[in-house]
Amino acid sequence: MHKSTFTFLIFISTSLLAVPNLFQKSEEEFRQKIKKVTFENGLTLLMMKRELSPTLALYIKFKVGAVDETPETGGTAHLLEHMLFKGTANVGTSDFSKEGIIQKQIEVTGNRLDEKKKKKRDLEERGASIPQELEEAIAKHGKILKNLIEWQDPYILKNEDSYIYEQNGEVGFNAYTSQDVTNYQIQLPKNRLEIWAKIESDRLRSPVLREYYTERDVIIEERRMRTDDSGSGALRERFFAVALESHPYRKPVIGYAKALPFLRIDETYQFFKNHYTPDNMVISIVGSLDFDETEAVIRSYFSDLKPGKKRRTLKVEEKQFLGEKRVTVIHPSSPQMLMGWLKPPAPHRDNAAFDVLSNVLTHGTSSRLHKKLVLDKKLSLSVASANGYPGERYSNLFTMFFKQQAGKRPDEIEKEVWEELENIKKNGVSPEELQKVKNQMIADFFRTMDDNATLADLLSYYELLYENWLEIFRQYDTIQEITSADLQRIVGQYLTKEKVTVGVLEDSRKKESK
């Protein structure tokens, strides 16, 4: 941490009355350092000057994630994120004039093979016999696909984009997919901006989904490791499937085990065309830069991208039915428990109140549930909570996570949670505790403001989801306004036994030993 930031954090934790002015000053400083440009094709560019080092944090974020998929195409956003590292017609190939012909044949053959395999699976699930000609067709197309992949391989220059970036001093070249967004990120020396713009704009113009079928297998294995063979992963998936009965947030980002083997390459290309458009993306650049020069580079490489068609708005809204919901997962893993309640998203005022409540209950060793469950009664190894889970575009959950101590039962933990919630509902939170929590949240907030990459990530996220990066500050303005009465109200309104979903993971190894 920079010395100036450390001094700043001491200041904000000791000067409580200065907090509102502090945010006004900080927001004004941000306004002076940030320039926002919206191109004619809908692309939004955010630039922030920070002259701490001659480097740039470069983030591209698209407003597309698992929430934009159907159950049949679940996992496509995440798979596409992987595929866009496979290169283009210009990068990742030694001769695309020849490789491209093989790639087309791979796509046609792969689709045919998937159709045959899916037909076989459907017959098996109905208990029907498999025609001999279907088995032969699967074997035939499988062999053709294998040969085509082998013929294509000599033309592929694997990880060429990574190699180019490494030669130019990259740090943190990566990507992620969530329910709401897909993000691509890197940090480079400031004089490498044009190299980045050329590579990333080319990725949007002429992506080639080479090695699609081998990468799809990688995703299937990733799902097996992170969900099927992971107790916490299996519990989360079942928990959201029960907690959210109609909303697409119930779908896992990685997709479903039965659907992943049949994600079609032509549908993945179409998903790209529908969502990877300039009017659905934000570029944020933070670091040592000149506004006019940076804008000129981005404009020269990205302004001719074509905007997309009008996208459908999500019409599904989760209906809150009264009555608790419970799910139990039996898995060879350490026992744990989740508790969740449906709540509104930002910028609803109650969302900010849940941010504060989350910190009161579980943030740090002095938080209420940590002291009670971990330190005093030793019922739990750890406690945590998340507001806005699993996504923040639409109504979401306030969720608590517990890993229980050996020999302790989940109902013991649950009893203590309900008692603490009832205590807050009746007695509220003292002014001293509330201010302490707010100071902690503000300190954490400003701590993140000392890193170019985090700033680029936050700016692009808020601009994309809320259409204004200044919502970062609006959120903390609202947090400062939250009172004990707000916390009492949301506990009584949302966090009731009639609205809870409880997920419990039981260790199957203990059941077997009995």
Side-chain angles (χ1 to χ4, degrees):
M1 186 188 303
H2 290 282
K3 182 178 179 182
S4 59
T5 306
F6 180 73
T7 304
F8 189 53
L9 294 177
I10 292 175
F11 170 76
I12 65 173
S13 63
T14 55
S15 303
L16 305 185
L17 296 177
V19 168
N21 292 333
L22 190 68
F23 268 96
Q24 289 176 1
K25 181 181 178 183
S26 180
E27 181 179 325
E28 183 57 36
E29 289 175 349
F30 265 60
R31 286 179 181 273
Q32 293 173 5
K33 294 178 180 178
I34 291 177
K35 181 179 180 182
K36 174 181 173 179
V37 181
T38 303
F39 295 171
E40 292 76 8
N41 60 5
L43 170 64
T44 298
L45 169 65
L46 292 174
M47 299 169 285
M48 181 175 184
K49 285 186 180 182
R50 295 190 86 229
E51 302 293 344
L52 298 175
S53 67
T55 60
L56 298 172
L58 302 127
Y59 277 60
I60 300 180
K61 211 174 253 83
F62 298 89
K63 194 176 182 178
V64 60
V67 75
D68 300 292
E69 303 162 344
T70 65
E72 291 79 11
T73 62
T76 298
H78 177 241
L79 174 58
L80 182 57
E81 173 221 309
H82 280 234
M83 293 311 305
L84 289 189
F85 286 92
K86 297 297 181 180
T88 69
N90 304 301
V91 176
T93 183
S94 60
D95 188 345
F96 192 69
S97 64
K98 295 177 181 177
E99 187 211 350
I101 297 171
I102 303 173
Q103 175 68 22
K104 289 293 183 185
Q105 292 175 312
I106 286 174
E107 293 172 10
V108 172
T109 304
N111 276 336
R112 287 175 181 168
L113 179 60
D114 283 347
E115 289 169 2
K116 304 296 183 186
K117 285 184 173 181
K118 190 172 187 303
K119 186 175 182 180
K120 178 182 177 180
R121 189 199 69 179
D122 293 344
L123 288 170
E124 288 174 337
E125 289 183 345
R126 295 201 301 268
S129 59
I130 311 301
Q132 181 64 29
E133 57 267 26
L134 180 58
E135 295 280 22
E136 291 174 354
I138 290 173
K140 173 187 172 184
H141 286 97
K143 184 176 180 180
I144 293 172
L145 181 62
K146 182 175 181 293
N147 289 337
L148 287 168
I149 289 172
E150 289 176 354
W151 294 340
Q152 183 189 35
D153 191 64
Y155 294 104
I156 297 175
L157 301 179
K158 298 181 187 295
N159 303 314
E160 187 177 22
D161 55 353
S162 296
Y163 176 77
I164 294 170
Y165 280 141
E166 285 170 7
Q167 298 306 303
N168 286 278
E170 68 87 9
V171 173
F173 181 41
N174 211 337
Y176 64 80
T177 306
S178 71
Q179 287 282 356
D180 293 327
V181 303
T182 305
N183 177 81
Y184 299 84
Q185 65 196 59
I186 195 170
Q187 295 183 69
L188 288 167
K190 70 174 185 177
N191 60 355
R192 298 296 190 268
L193 173 63
E194 190 158 5
I195 292 173
W196 173 85
K198 185 173 183 179
I199 290 175
E200 298 307 319
S201 61
D202 184 50
R203 203 189 301 277
L204 300 180
R205 283 193 184 85
S206 59
V208 177
L209 306 189
R210 49 174 66 93
E211 300 181 303
Y212 181 86
Y213 298 98
T214 53
E215 195 64 29
R216 191 176 66 179
D217 288 342
V218 169
I219 300 288
I220 291 170
E221 178 63 16
E222 182 181 338
R223 184 199 149 83
R224 185 190 65 76
M225 292 175 60
R226 294 187 178 183
T227 302
D228 302 331
D229 291 350
S230 164
S232 58
L235 177 61
R236 280 196 305 270
E237 184 168 305
R238 290 293 297 125
F239 175 80
F240 288 115
V242 171
L244 301 168
E245 298 176 21
S246 58
H247 199 281
Y249 275 159
R250 74 197 306 268
K251 302 191 315 295
V253 172
I254 201 166
Y256 293 112
K258 282 196 171 184
L260 281 173
F262 304 103
L263 292 181
R264 292 171 59 96
I265 192 169
D266 55 341
E267 292 179 349
T268 304
Y269 269 119
Q270 190 59 50
F271 192 85
F272 169 84
K273 291 176 183 177
N274 290 345
H275 297 286
Y276 278 65
T277 58
D279 51 315
N280 203 41
M281 64 185 278
V282 170
I283 294 176
S284 59
I285 305 175
V286 178
S288 179
L289 56 81
D290 176 272
F291 286 145
D292 293 338
E293 291 176 3
T294 302
E295 180 184 341
V297 171
I298 301 305
R299 189 175 291 278
S300 66
Y301 283 96
F302 290 90
S303 63
D304 62 339
L305 295 173
K306 305 299 181 188
K309 296 179 181 178
K310 187 178 175 79
R311 293 167 188 83
R312 66 178 180 87
T313 56
L314 190 64
K315 297 178 181 178
V316 176
E317 186 173 335
E318 186 69 22
K319 175 69 175 176
Q320 179 78 71
F321 293 100
L322 292 181
E324 69 176 27
K325 294 184 279 189
R326 291 182 178 269
V327 59
T328 299
V329 174
I330 299 173
H331 196 281
S333 301
S334 300
Q336 50 191 283
M337 181 176 74
L338 303 179
M339 298 177 70
W341 298 263
L342 190 66
K343 51 162 283 293
H348 196 291
R349 178 184 172 88
D350 289 351
N351 182 74
F354 274 105
D355 280 335
V356 176
L357 180 64
S358 178
N359 280 261
V360 168
L361 290 172
T362 68
H363 188 75
T365 56
S366 63
S367 61
R368 292 191 175 199
L369 289 180
H370 184 90
K371 285 196 295 185
K372 176 180 282 192
L373 296 174
V374 178
L375 300 179
D376 296 342
K377 301 199 174 183
K378 295 182 170 50
L379 293 174
S380 187
L381 293 169
S382 65
V383 299
S385 58
N387 181 31
Y389 199 57
E392 295 186 295
R393 264 203 252 173
Y394 308 105
S395 295
N396 49 55
L397 299 178
F398 177 71
T399 311
M400 297 187 198
F401 309 81
F402 309 92
K403 290 186 178 179
Q404 63 216 56
Q405 287 272 13
K408 302 301 181 181
R409 302 189 315 274
D411 62 300
E412 295 178 278
I413 295 174
E414 190 177 340
K415 176 177 177 291
E416 297 296 334
V417 171
W418 288 121
E419 286 184 1
E420 189 55 54
L421 292 177
E422 185 64 22
N423 178 29
I424 292 175
K425 179 183 172 183
K426 286 185 175 180
N427 304 312
V429 177
S430 71
E432 294 78 16
E433 182 181 6
L434 192 58
Q435 192 60 60
K436 177 184 176 183
V437 165
K438 289 180 181 180
N439 289 348
Q440 187 179 52
M441 294 173 73
I442 296 166
D444 290 343
F445 169 73
F446 279 104
R447 206 173 276 120
T448 66
M449 295 294 132
D450 201 40
D451 177 74
N452 285 355
T454 304
L455 280 166
D457 196 17
L458 278 174
L459 290 169
S460 55
Y461 183 82
Y462 276 85
E463 183 67 34
L464 197 62
L465 256 63
Y466 308 117
E467 299 182 348
N468 191 342
W469 63 267
L470 282 166
E471 284 299 316
I472 299 172
F473 290 96
R474 299 292 82 77
Q475 171 184 313
Y476 280 87
D477 287 342
T478 306
I479 284 172
Q480 285 305 306
E481 298 169 358
I482 297 302
T483 65
S484 175
D486 288 317
L487 300 187
Q488 290 175 277
R489 179 181 54 77
I490 64 169
V491 169
Q493 181 177 343
Y494 300 99
L495 306 190
T496 68
K497 292 183 178 181
E498 295 79 20
K499 296 180 179 180
V500 72
T501 301
V502 180
V504 173
L505 176 66
E506 294 184 3
D507 190 345
S508 61
R509 295 167 298 188
K510 291 188 177 181
K511 288 182 174 291
E512 291 169 2
S513 66
K514 292 180 181 178

